[in-house]
Amino acid sequence: MSRVAGVVRAVAWVLLVTWLGCAPAAEEAELRDGAPSERSLVVYSGRSESLVGPLLEAAERETGLRIEVRYGGTSELAATILEEGHNSPADLFFSQDAAALGALSRAGRLKVLARELLDSVAPEFRSNRDDWVGLSGRARTLVYEPSRIAEDELPRSLEAIGSKKYRGRFGLAPTNGSFQAHMAVYRAVNGAEALDALLTSLASNDPQAFPKNSAIVEGVIAGEIDFGLVNHYYLWRARKEDPTVTALNYFVPEGEASSFVNVAGVGVLSDASEAHALVEYLLSAPAQDYFARETYEYPLIDSVAPSVDLVPLSEVRAPGVDFAEVSAVFEETLGAIDRSGLIR
């Protein structure tokens, strides 16, 4: 993501948080008319068409649903949903990250999901208000090249990356949404002072800034850096393109919120029964297998295994966090990242 795109994202979150703060209670209590069954189901998707378009086309074929999709950035679409209020044409929101779903949940915009749908996913990957559910998981890892740094030499926590022995040897993507979401989780778990201390230590240790996760992985492979903070699946995509790649993922074992599993998920916005039918399909074995095979993300139902050799989700160290609370500190987190000097 470019810095301009990062700014756009930040502005969208300002709008989002503003709406969270001023949505009238009467409007929140208003019920939207039931969706007529003969119309298309309207999906707002923060995941790209190239990624989930084939999956939604399969959903149409398998369920008989007619689906109309509006693609966009997750934060921008969440802000649009709040701006449109209960006149929004959207029946379902397909979010890239849990924080945006948490924001809509906090604003009272999501419908409660059926218990059987919720229970198909572990509690840490669904709403504690029962109004959104995760579909696929992305773990935050350090990608590294073992020929330049051994696993036992890697930092064992986010805080340890600030050690002078790693000066100039690592990469970050401070304008990327995944990094920002990770820092928001860190803020929610550890507090504002701890986040400022972490960001200051990272910025003062001469990191190399990249626009996105895939560029960090390319930097490690090219020998520009020894390790970098990324989502786990970018390495597997690189390996698919070049099976000779020797870089590895390292799951950081210590520190509160050093590891973090974000989820892409869905929330239902209308009373249309078809929206719940689409959630059911997206949690089915064929759809979960799509995430495993096509994106290398973690499927979130027990009956489908990852398609590559991943640390089991149950063994990934991650904080218990309410994503509605993460959304509440997101704007503040963006400000802390800007002040830290990481974005140059």
Side-chain angles (χ1 to χ4, degrees):
M1 179 185 289
S2 67
R3 182 167 185 172
V4 171
V7 171
V8 170
R9 182 182 174 90
V11 170
W13 270 97
V14 170
L15 177 60
L16 173 61
V17 172
T18 300
W19 271 95
L20 288 175
C22 67
E27 182 185 46
E28 292 188 16
E30 181 185 349
L31 290 177
R32 178 172 177 266
D33 292 338
S37 59
E38 65 272 15
R39 71 169 175 82
S40 295
L41 189 71
V42 178
V43 174
Y44 281 11
S45 177
R47 309 213 75 182
S48 69
E49 183 173 7
S50 61
L51 187 67
V52 300
L55 178 63
L56 294 175
E57 290 173 3
E60 287 187 306
R61 291 193 301 272
E62 296 300 322
T63 66
L65 295 172
R66 292 189 299 171
I67 301 173
E68 177 185 338
V69 189
R70 173 178 173 178
Y71 292 99
T74 283
S75 56
E76 289 86 349
L77 289 176
T80 298
I81 290 167
L82 292 169
E83 185 176 9
E84 292 172 339
H86 292 277
N87 291 319
S88 174
D91 296 299
L92 184 142
F93 179 46
F94 196 157
S95 176
Q96 175 77 6
D97 63 62
L101 288 164
L104 295 183
S105 173
R106 185 164 163 257
R109 283 295 289 116
L110 301 179
K111 304 292 184 181
V112 171
L113 298 174
R115 176 50 55 189
E116 57 268 29
L117 296 178
L118 293 164
D119 287 348
S120 63
V121 172
E124 60 267 34
F125 303 124
R126 67 184 194 229
S127 167
N128 59 15
R129 295 172 174 80
D130 294 343
D131 56 5
W132 61 263
V133 65
L135 299 177
S136 58
R138 309 186 298 279
R140 296 291 284 171
T141 65
L142 294 181
V143 59
Y144 72 103
E145 173 47 58
S147 66
R148 292 195 301 278
I149 185 168
E151 180 177 336
D152 61 6
E153 296 175 318
L154 287 165
R156 295 181 63 79
S157 69
L158 282 184
E159 294 85 351
I161 299 176
S163 169
K164 296 307 177 189
K165 66 182 177 181
Y166 301 122
R167 186 175 182 82
R169 300 174 65 188
F170 64 98
L172 302 171
T175 60
N176 182 265
S178 295
F179 177 84
Q180 294 165 347
H182 192 170
M183 293 302 103
V185 169
Y186 188 94
R187 161 64 184 87
V189 172
N190 297 299
E193 185 174 341
L195 175 64
D196 285 340
L198 172 67
L199 293 171
T200 298
S201 71
L202 294 176
S204 64
N205 215 20
D206 196 21
Q208 292 195 39
F210 292 84
K212 53 188 178 180
N213 291 284
S214 58
I216 292 176
V217 173
E218 291 168 4
V220 168
I221 294 170
E224 299 171 12
I225 51 176
D226 291 345
F227 65 90
L229 185 61
V230 298
N231 291 335
H232 78 272
Y233 54 85
Y234 288 97
L235 174 61
W236 291 101
R237 291 181 183 179
R239 284 183 168 183
K240 182 179 182 180
E241 294 179 3
D242 181 2
T244 68
V245 166
T246 56
L248 299 171
N249 275 325
Y250 173 70
F251 289 75
V252 181
E254 297 177 359
E256 291 296 330
S258 289
S259 294
F260 162 53
V261 178
N262 203 346
V263 297
V266 289
V268 170
L269 297 155
S270 78
D271 294 322
S273 60
E274 294 90 341
H276 296 269
L278 180 55
V279 176
E280 182 176 6
Y281 175 79
L282 294 172
L283 287 168
S284 69
Q288 291 286 295
D289 188 58
Y290 175 91
F291 289 118
R293 289 183 295 100
E294 299 299 327
T295 71
Y296 301 111
E297 293 174 291
Y298 283 98
L300 294 184
I301 65 172
D302 290 340
S303 60
V304 177
S307 64
V308 292
D309 185 19
L310 296 177
V311 172
L313 270 178
S314 60
E315 297 179 16
V316 178
R317 194 167 182 273
V321 64
D322 181 347
F323 284 99
E325 298 303 320
V326 174
S327 69
V329 300
F330 199 91
E331 182 188 9
E332 173 190 328
T333 300
L334 294 177
I337 293 171
D338 282 340
R339 291 193 306 274
S340 71
L342 279 173
I343 302 174
R344 300 165 185 163

